[in-house]
Structure formats: C-alpha cells, structure tokens
Amino acid sequence: VNSPISYERALRHQPSSALLLQPIFTYSAYTLIATGNILVLSSMWALGVTGTYLGDYFGILMNDVVTSFPFNVTAAPMYYGSTLSFLGTAILYGKPAGVLLTAEVLVVYLLALRFEE
C-alpha cells in the first residue's frame, strides 16, 4: 500500500543526517508538509469525489476544466503536493534516503504528466 505511513516505515531504519535535523530544516519540513497537504486536499475539494476518484477510470468527466485554486497555481496539484509532503517528511525525520526517494517519485510523476497531458 502506498501511503505516508508506509513511506515513514521505509524511512524509519535509514541513517539520519545531523544536518537535516537542525531546527531550520525542521521548520522547513513542516512548511513543506503543510503546503503539500493544502495542494492535495484543496484539489480533492475542487474536483469532488467524482473528479478525484472516478473520472479517469470510468470516463466520468467534469463539465468544465477546473481553474480555481489549486489548479490556478499548478496543473498537477496532487502530484506536486504529495511530492512536497514526501520531501517534508524525509527532512522532518532527517533522512537523506527519503530526499533521494522523493526525487525518484518526482521523476516518475513528471513522466506520468507527459502521458497525461
């Protein structure tokens, strides 16, 4: 199951970096997590249950393109929001492996966007 809980478990036993455990990084981590969650949750709100979970799979499309927040900031708020949350979590726990894993996730999301757009 891909969830933040599984991600945290994957990071738990990785080595920590003293640099990433400095207070400035902790504050940055909370900012990244909050920003990421705002992007993801607000995009779910803007799309509704149908647009979030059913549209692509069952061909249930919305009448109009959503242009309100967060889609007026980025065309892929769920991808970028989850990436920010993953990065924030890696930094919060001080795990360089998590930062690298987040970069890999971002690359996969960027590849997916090339096929989706």
Side-chain angles (χ1 to χ4, degrees), residues 4 11 74 87:
L11 294 182
T74 175
L87 180 59

Side-chain angles (χ1 to χ4, degrees), residues 24-44:
I24 187 68
F25 286 103
T26 301
Y27 300 136
S28 298
Y30 283 119
T31 301
L32 289 167
I33 292 168
T35 303
N37 284 322
I38 287 169
L39 287 174
V40 171
L41 294 174
S42 62
S43 64
M44 292 174 73

Side-chain angles (χ1 to χ4, degrees), residues 12-25:
R12 187 179 302 159
H13 300 293
Q14 299 301 316
S16 295
S17 163
L19 176 65
L20 291 178
L21 294 172
Q22 297 297 317
I24 187 68
F25 286 103

Side-chain angles (χ1 to χ4, degrees), residues 16-85:
S16 295
S17 163
L19 176 65
L20 291 178
L21 294 172
Q22 297 297 317
I24 187 68
F25 286 103
T26 301
Y27 300 136
S28 298
Y30 283 119
T31 301
L32 289 167
I33 292 168
T35 303
N37 284 322
I38 287 169
L39 287 174
V40 171
L41 294 174
S42 62
S43 64
M44 292 174 73
W45 179 266
L47 293 172
V49 172
T50 303
T52 301
Y53 298 108
L54 305 176
D56 288 343
Y57 299 108
F58 298 106
I60 303 170
L61 302 176
M62 301 185 78
N63 293 333
D64 297 310
V65 174
V66 178
T67 57
S68 61
F69 183 81
F71 294 94
N72 61 353
V73 175
T74 175
M78 288 189 186
Y79 285 161
Y80 293 121
S82 63
T83 300
L84 290 174
S85 294

Side-chain angles (χ1 to χ4, degrees), residues 7 11 20-21 29 33 84-100 102:
Y7 180 73
L11 294 182
L20 291 178
L21 294 172
I33 292 168
L84 290 174
S85 294
F86 285 135
L87 180 59
T89 301
I91 293 170
L92 183 64
Y93 289 105
K95 305 295 185 175
V99 174
L100 293 175
T102 300

